Amino acid sequence: MAADLWTALFIAVLAAFVGYEVISRVPVLLHTPLMSGSNFIHGIVLVGAIVALGLATSPLERAIGLVAVIMGAMNVTGGYVVTERILAMFDRSKPKGGPK
Amino acid sequence: MTAWVGPAIDAVYVAAIVVFILGLRAMSSPATARRGIVYAGIAMLAAVGATLATPHLSNFALIALGIVVGGGAGFYWARVVKMTAMPQMVAVFNGMGGGAAAAIGAVELLGSLTSGATASLSAAGAVIGSISIAGSTIAFLKLQGWMPQKPIVVPARQVVNFAVLAVAIGFGGVAFWTARDAYLLPFFLLLLLYGVLFTLPIGGADMPVVISLFNALTGVAVGLDGFALVSGPLGDAGYAMVIAGVLVGAAGSLLTALMARAMNRSIGNVFFGAYGATEEAGGPVAGSMKPIEIADAAVMMEYATEVIVAPGYGMAVAQAQGKVKELADALEAKGVTVKFAIHPVAGRMPGHMNVLLAEAGVAYDKLFDRDEIDAEFAHADVALVIGANDVVNPAARRPGSALYGMPILDVDRAKNVLVVKRGQGKGFSGLENELFYQENTRMVYGDAQQVVTALVSAIKKGPA
């Protein structure tokens, strides 16, 4: 296994603990927005999709890469907007059912 | 390439990761939650911007097209969808992430079928991503009501499912050893089939747990794709994906476990138990369901000292949360204490009821978790159940019932129970609800919004 893979593995182990710790004190109230928010964060897949399409050479690779970018972009924007809409309702400073 | 471009891009990735983690932490407290998603959004923009600035990329026109089409569709859909449809929206966007991860895996596999470690990591990302998109699609169809919500059970499904997965991975192996891309097609098709078969036997009430699982799985798939990228020419994007993906994988797994625990069920039981389909449907229940007129129900609540409202999915479906808030206001104007009892898995997602009631403007301090309020039902004059079923079924206390062990709201211990319900149907468990047959229970049939509207006007008018 290449050195960068080992580095990535070290990073992954640490990230797993961070993910666990950050979530462990969340009230039930926030479970839905949190699921939605973490759904947004794995939208980072868009970065990988851009790299995959950006390096693609054959038509088939380009086609699949394009699908990846479309899906990744949907994940990012949709995930953000849904989370924002849910959390906007928790904002006390706004009037009830306030404008979106 | 100018010498500073590479380090500058890396610095942006590092900063983005820091902000992601801070954002996720901010999202875990109500006061800072909204700030959290904005932080995460800025970090995402920076990461995507840095990636686009990376040298050696080509196909920019296609990249732009993909971002505009996908981003536009996601933005539009997420804006127009109703708040009640949020669970299936999370399923859809999560499925998109899984699909993107699978597609990246496919591109990597097409390009690097000969390098062992990278190919197996890409393949693992493809496996998990494919299962995630297929499963999320089924979850969406079930929640949207475009296919039956009840568990669909295939005979000998554990064997069939395992065989499908094994053959899929076999095709992947053959593709690797023979270096022939053609074998990748059955590899992916069978994985998608596995995702469908995995999700079909899971019933509607368990969907939140399933969506949470697929959310975690997509995170893991993204992380695995990241592993496959780190040894490529643009490795640093890979590290960002590893961190963000694994972060979500860990957080999502924990959230899945918390949700399953709220139902007092093991993860294995949720995913492999075909709950409510394999177990006894339960015998007939003694007694009868006793209907009550709106006016009588209104009077009963008006003269109560304390009313506890137990909302469920029916309230979400009927969009009745605004009317429920009005009802609470009308009762309070008459000096009645009104509290809301929120079961952790009421609705289709944990916190679903909190979200809807917050949207309607109900104050947080009136919302109580199950363990906070359960003892209080015994003192309440009226427990008003709006569109909840399995989470208030006292059969869960009796050993032998399919629901046995699931924590429920003790609404049956209130002096009077009013149940607002569309018809005489059963809950997602497929079980009769013994609560409805109790001596002190009265049924108000009808759409939750119409019933509650009628109750509000009856209460405002006062007893005739």
Side-chain angles (χ1 to χ4, degrees):
Chain A
M1 220 157 97
D4 357 353
L5 284 183
W6 282 113
T7 312
L9 188 60
F10 281 122
I11 293 173
V13 170
L14 294 176
F17 280 102
V18 171
Y20 192 90
E21 284 303 318
V22 164
I23 294 305
S24 54
R25 289 178 299 272
V26 178
V28 175
L29 172 76
L30 285 174
H31 277 182
T32 299
L34 193 68
M35 190 197 298
S36 184
S38 56
N39 173 43
F40 165 70
I41 288 177
H42 69 52
I44 191 81
V45 72
L46 176 59
V47 164
I50 291 172
V51 172
L53 178 55
L55 297 176
T57 44
S58 76
L60 181 60
E61 281 176 27
R62 282 202 190 96
I64 300 175
L66 178 62
V67 170
V69 171
I70 290 175
M71 286 181 159
M74 264 187 88
N75 184 174
V76 167
T77 55
Y80 183 86
V81 174
V82 165
T83 313
E84 222 284 329
R85 278 184 62 188
I86 295 177
L87 289 175
M89 297 185 306
F90 290 98
D91 204 336
R92 280 166 191 259
S93 58
K94 273 197 175 179
K96 62 172 185 179
K100 302 267 151 52
Chain B
M1 159 169 58
T2 344
W4 56 267
V5 172
I9 289 171
D10 286 349
V12 173
Y13 283 140
V14 171
I17 289 301
V18 172
V19 179
F20 268 144
I21 294 171
L22 291 177
L24 200 58
R25 196 176 66 176
M27 267 189 263
S28 57
S29 154
T32 53
R34 198 166 179 200
R35 216 180 303 158
I37 184 65
V38 176
Y39 287 170
I42 293 168
M44 187 69 75
L45 273 180
V48 170
T51 309
L52 288 172
T54 310
H56 306 307
L57 290 184
S58 49
N59 299 327
F60 275 107
L62 281 177
I63 292 174
L65 175 72
I67 291 178
V68 169
V69 170
F75 183 80
Y76 175 76
W77 203 359
R79 290 292 297 187
V80 299
V81 72
K82 291 203 178 80
M83 286 312 291
T84 41
M86 279 305 150
Q88 50 265 50
M89 274 302 104
V90 177
V92 166
F93 295 127
N94 175 57
M96 289 298 139
I104 294 169
V107 175
E108 292 291 313
L109 286 173
L110 287 172
S112 66
L113 267 183
T114 42
S115 115
T118 313
S120 35
L121 288 165
S122 305
V127 168
I128 297 174
S130 305
I131 294 172
S132 180
I133 185 178
S136 298
T137 306
I138 299 295
F140 167 76
L141 293 174
K142 284 193 175 204
L143 285 172
Q144 188 74 9
W146 290 354
M147 67 181 283
Q149 302 220 5
K150 291 202 67 102
I152 298 171
V153 183
V154 184
R157 69 200 160 84
Q158 308 293 23
V159 179
V160 173
N161 289 5
F162 181 76
V164 169
L165 187 60
V167 173
I169 291 172
F171 271 110
V174 172
F176 176 68
W177 293 115
T178 60
R180 283 182 58 186
D181 295 345
Y183 289 111
L184 289 175
L185 187 63
F187 171 69
F188 278 102
L189 290 179
L190 285 171
L191 288 173
L192 293 175
L193 177 64
Y194 178 79
V196 170
L197 290 175
F198 178 88
T199 318
L200 278 180
I202 301 171
D206 288 341
M207 272 307 145
V209 188
V210 176
I211 296 173
S212 178
L213 174 80
F214 288 137
N215 188 38
L217 282 182
T218 303
V220 172
V222 171
L224 285 166
D225 280 342
F227 268 101
L229 287 181
V230 290
S231 36
L234 298 171
D236 302 321
Y239 288 115
M241 287 170 70
V242 168
I243 297 175
V246 172
L247 199 64
V248 173
S253 305
L254 179 59
L255 197 56
T256 311
L258 290 176
M259 288 160 65
R261 200 184 301 157
M263 296 193 290
N264 198 22
R265 315 227 335 257
S266 72
I267 296 277
N269 185 245
V270 171
F271 298 130
F272 302 110
Y275 190 60
T278 51
E279 307 196 46
E280 292 274 323
V285 182
S288 60
M289 295 199 204
K290 296 165 282 293
I292 187 172
E293 293 298 319
I294 295 276
D296 297 332
V299 171
M300 187 193 278
M301 285 193 284
E302 248 182 290
Y303 286 101
T305 312
E306 181 175 2
V307 173
I308 301 180
V309 181
Y313 189 57
M315 184 187 81
V317 169
Q319 294 267 29
Q321 60 271 22
K323 289 294 169 191
V324 170
K325 151 85 168 139
E326 275 184 41
L327 178 68
D329 290 346
L331 285 171
E332 280 173 343
K334 304 249 172 184
V336 182
T337 307
V338 181
K339 291 179 179 174
F340 290 85
I342 310 293
H343 190 278
V345 294
R348 287 294 172 273
M349 282 201 151
H352 196 186
M353 293 299 120
N354 305 71
V355 168
L356 293 176
L357 291 170
E359 181 194 19
V362 176
Y364 299 110
D365 49 13
K366 290 190 189 136
L367 307 182
F368 296 90
D369 284 346
R370 194 186 72 86
D371 44 350
E372 290 172 336
I373 203 164
D374 241 9
E376 226 175 288
F377 279 109
H379 314 295
D381 303 290
V382 179
L384 175 65
V385 178
I386 304 177
N389 195 337
D390 292 336
V391 297
V392 294
N393 191 342
R397 296 197 203 105
R398 202 187 51 232
S401 163
L403 283 174
Y404 177 61
M406 178 172 137
I408 56 162
L409 293 171
D410 292 336
V411 290
D412 58 315
R413 300 200 167 140
K415 289 172 198 132
N416 296 287
V417 183
L418 288 173
V419 178
V420 178
K421 201 168 177 310
R422 266 172 302 176
Q424 306 198 340
K426 297 167 185 169
F428 275 114
S429 66
L431 290 181
E432 287 290 357
N433 193 334
E434 295 172 13
L435 174 75
F436 303 161
Y437 295 87
Q438 263 188 188
E439 210 39 60
N440 60 343
T441 303
R442 294 290 177 275
M443 311 293 294
V444 189
Y445 293 114
D447 172 81
Q449 176 151 355
Q450 288 161 10
V451 168
V452 177
T453 308
L455 283 173
V456 172
S457 55
I459 288 169
K460 281 187 176 157
K461 211 164 59 187

